Amino acid sequence: MRQRIAVAVVALLLSACARSGATHATDATLAPDLGKRLVGHSGMVASAHPLASEAGLTVLREGGNAVDAAVATAFAISVVEPEMSGVGGSGAMLVWSQHDRRADFLDFYASQPIASFRAAHVTGRDSTAPLRVVGVPGYVAGLLLAQQRFGKLTRRQVMAPAIHLAEAGYPMYPVLAGMIAGDTARLARDPVARALFLPNGKPLALGEHFSNPALARVLRTIADSGRDGFYIGGVAHDVVARMNAGGHPVTAADFAAYQPTWRRPLCTGYDGRVLLSAPPPEGGMQVLETVKLLQPESARVAGFPTRSAHAFDLFASALRVGQAANRANGDPRWKPVPARGLISDAFVASREREIGTGRAADTVRQRDARSFDAAPSPAACASLDPYGAAMLTASTPAGDLTPSGGETTHISVVDRDGNAVAVTVTNSSVFGSGAAVDGFFLNNSGATVTQADLDRPSAPAWLTRVTTIAPTIVLHDGSVEMVIGSPGGGRIPLAIAQTMWYVLDYGLDPLAAVRMPRLSPTAQRPTVELENGFDPPVLAAARGMGYEPTPPGFEYARIYMIVRRDGAWIGVADPRHDGQVRGY
């Protein structure tokens, strides 16, 4: 009976997906992007899969708020996008509470006691010992903590859609089918992954039905028992045993001790708006500095970088300078991070002379922002209790800033009361460590940890890694104007900044902004990876300025965004991916 009910629920969700795509599009010319751009007045959910967005919309219609819907969507996305995120992974959430005029940021990145990590560490991405770089997952603890603090519905209500999706299943769709087919050798080495995705030794085909009853049992246990259902008991035992079998010394006590971290968000002013984003060790400071480097007036006069060589230079140089800012990023428990200084008006002004010079620098270096860090936050941010000043002592630069791969997913949500959530969740890499337990993959969050990190005498008891994820919210006149975020490794801040420019400075329709071809430069070299759509004369002029235009070496970051325009919410899911938007 339960299985028949679950199948019926998923059938209803699929039917609702079709109906919502047809009824919420506001312009017949948008038919080719059905589900990619929707308009609503009460609530909106943008995510990487239509069934996950539908789960969030269902919760909004049931009386849930933006946090309820974001948590419901995140648990649902763990079912339908298991390669990108899941209960074995990590995340970070930025919450705007309209009634209280307050922003809060929750870091629930995978972590572990550094003593265990030192004992287990393998430098680099050692595919022969993937379990030694798994962190204690923060996904469940973070989502439940946020829902407990801000949500209106019960835990069972917000988790019900995900449980039904896992039990009843869904048709295999292009992105997941393609990633399974492209990673069969690694998946075949893991018995759980092999049974899930390679039945009879062959990868699941496009359109083939897939269900995950083991994951459904895990989700039901969490819904019934809360945090303890994952961090204490049978699920915890299974994960710890699997990690131990792979040479990881993590203990049940380590697993049970995991705690998410509340932090204050970064805040700065921009063209009459307030920008809020993820504080260190997340990547918000790169986003905010980059956005501020491009002056709206000069950008609009220059035109679009796809058509204007000068605009190309403005975009590429601003993105490179902003990218260099990430050299200062790090875990603020380990080292001082002058994030407030980096996003200050004065520091940004000191770097503007490097923007749009007509000559690409061989290398763009980070400048010391510590002397700018003591300045007070902008007046518009003062009441929001923003991220504060760092201790002004010597800091250690980060490593290479080349845009990297890595797979993640993002969810943007707003509700009828003006509350908003931007939440980015991840397995760190595609299928994480490649090791699965009870129907979900374990992250590989420690794959890039170096021995120098582990040898620091100032290292905290628990290890947290630097990440580029950057859930971001824009306020205008005290209310939400934009909710935005992206997956895509080192390309995340680049994609977010470019999309923000196109919406906030150029005034483009949100879908047009997301569709614009993107640049992906690196601070270390004048190489600029380009999507299709740049005029040949622009490419020639860019090369004449010293840039080295190249085709993209990795699939670009995807934007999931909601924008307030003319009293309505416009939700957008990036056409580069299978995601869709749901709203009403």
Side-chain angles (χ1 to χ4, degrees):
M1 175 62 73
R2 179 181 296 170
Q3 179 70 11
R4 289 198 297 272
I5 293 172
V7 171
V9 169
V10 174
L12 287 171
L13 286 175
L14 287 168
S15 175
C17 285
R19 290 197 307 273
S20 59
T23 59
H24 292 292
T26 58
D27 188 334
T29 63
L30 296 176
D33 292 300
L34 198 61
K36 300 297 185 182
R37 179 193 187 277
L38 303 178
V39 178
H41 292 81
S42 297
M44 190 70 65
V45 182
S47 85
H49 196 282
L51 290 175
S53 295
E54 196 69 38
L57 178 60
T58 298
V59 166
L60 285 176
R61 288 187 180 276
E62 290 176 351
N65 61 18
V67 173
D68 290 315
V71 171
T73 307
F75 276 117
I77 207 77
S78 76
V79 177
V80 296
E81 209 184 24
E83 76 279 23
M84 305 298 190
S85 70
V87 297
S90 306
M93 178 185 291
L94 179 60
V95 179
W96 172 255
S97 301
Q98 183 64 33
H99 180 268
D100 298 327
R101 299 293 199 277
R102 178 178 172 85
D104 289 279
F105 184 83
L106 183 61
D107 181 337
F108 49 99
Y109 215 75
S111 186
Q112 59 186 281
I114 196 166
S116 292
F117 203 87
R118 284 183 174 127
H121 182 243
V122 177
T123 300
R125 298 177 183 271
D126 184 351
S127 61
T128 64
L131 286 160
R132 283 183 267 179
V133 291
V134 175
V136 176
Y139 201 96
V140 173
L143 294 179
L144 294 187
L145 182 60
Q147 202 272 330
Q148 179 183 8
R149 178 170 175 178
F150 295 109
K152 295 168 60 179
L153 303 184
T154 67
R155 185 175 61 243
R156 289 186 176 91
Q157 283 176 292
V158 299
M159 294 192 66
I163 295 168
H164 289 312
L165 283 170
E167 288 179 336
Y170 53 91
M172 188 59 55
Y173 61 96
V175 170
L176 179 53
M179 290 199 170
I180 294 170
D183 213 2
T184 54
R186 187 164 66 114
L187 295 174
R189 289 196 292 266
D190 182 85
V192 177
R194 185 170 61 245
L196 277 172
F197 296 127
L198 306 171
N200 303 315
K202 296 182 179 179
L204 291 166
L206 186 64
E208 190 170 352
H209 186 79
F210 172 70
S211 61
N212 194 337
L215 178 57
R217 288 191 291 271
V218 171
L219 294 173
R220 192 172 293 280
T221 300
I222 296 167
D224 291 341
S225 303
R227 175 195 166 97
D228 288 354
F230 187 81
Y231 292 92
I232 298 173
V235 178
H237 175 271
D238 292 346
V239 175
V240 170
R242 186 70 198 281
M243 291 171 68
N244 291 165
H248 200 299
V250 69
T251 68
D254 294 334
F255 209 77
Y258 176 88
Q259 292 293 335
T261 303
W262 290 105
R263 304 184 192 277
R264 299 309 306 147
L266 292 177
C267 181
T268 192
Y270 177 71
D271 197 27
R273 299 173 170 93
V274 172
L275 310 184
L276 299 164
S277 196
E282 280 79 26
M285 68 182 189
Q286 180 180 343
V287 169
L288 300 191
E289 182 187 0
T290 303
V291 168
K292 294 180 65 161
L293 283 164
L294 194 65
Q295 295 300 312
E297 298 80 9
S298 59
R300 287 191 292 268
V301 169
F304 293 104
T306 53
R307 303 288 181 265
S308 160
H310 179 49
F312 182 102
D313 185 31
L314 287 172
F315 270 55
S317 56
L319 291 166
R320 294 183 76 197
V321 170
Q323 192 180 63
N326 208 39
R327 296 192 70 86
N329 201 5
D331 188 328
R333 300 172 303 170
W334 287 28
K335 70 174 210 176
V337 182
R340 189 164 74 177
L342 281 160
I343 63 174
S344 67
D345 291 345
F347 182 75
V348 170
S350 75
R351 304 222 65 176
E352 286 177 353
R353 62 179 179 274
E354 301 172 60
I355 309 303
T357 64
R359 184 65 191 169
D362 291 336
T363 299
V364 177
R365 302 188 182 280
Q366 171 55 21
R367 311 297 179 193
D368 191 344
R370 286 174 291 165
S371 62
F372 297 86
D373 204 51
S377 297
C381 292
S383 64
L384 302 179
D385 186 23
Y387 185 89
M391 297 177 295
L392 296 182
T393 58
S395 64
T396 305
D400 186 23
L401 300 175
T402 304
S404 60
E407 285 299 342
T408 302
T409 197
H410 179 80
I411 298 159
S412 292
V413 183
V414 295
D415 65 25
R416 65 169 63 248
D417 296 320
N419 305 307
V421 176
V423 57
T424 309
V425 285
T426 182
N427 281 333
S428 296
S429 296
V430 177
F431 297 115
S433 65
V437 180
D438 295 345
F440 61 89
F441 285 92
L442 299 174
N443 67 83
N444 64 331
S445 65
T448 57
V449 177
T450 67
Q451 194 62 47
D453 291 327
L454 301 177
D455 291 341
R456 295 183 194 214
S458 59
W462 279 68
L463 177 69
T464 299
R465 296 306 304 139
V466 174
T467 172
T468 54
I469 63 177
T472 299
I473 293 174
V474 178
L475 306 177
H476 193 207
D477 294 332
S479 297
V480 172
E481 180 180 7
M482 174 186 286
V483 187
I484 188 171
S486 173
R491 292 176 173 82
I492 290 172
L494 306 178
I496 294 174
Q498 289 174 76
T499 306
M500 291 175 69
W501 285 332
Y502 285 130
V503 173
L504 302 179
D505 297 345
Y506 286 81
L508 289 187
D509 178 85
L511 180 58
V514 171
R515 279 174 157 175
M516 285 294 293
R518 297 187 194 131
L519 305 80
S520 181
T522 174
Q524 283 75 28
R525 298 176 295 280
T527 302
V528 185
E529 294 182 0
L530 302 175
E531 289 185 311
N532 293 333
F534 289 81
D535 282 354
V538 172
L539 301 180
R543 187 164 290 278
M545 287 185 277
Y547 292 105
E548 298 173 10
T550 65
F554 185 82
E555 185 179 357
Y556 267 64
R558 282 92 56 187
I559 294 291
Y560 301 98
M561 174 174 66
I562 301 169
V563 176
R564 187 76 167 177
R565 286 250 174 108
D566 300 322
W569 298 115
I570 302 174
V572 172
D574 204 313
R576 296 167 181 81
H577 196 266
D578 286 338
Q580 292 189 15
V581 186
R582 294 293 179 266
Y584 73 111

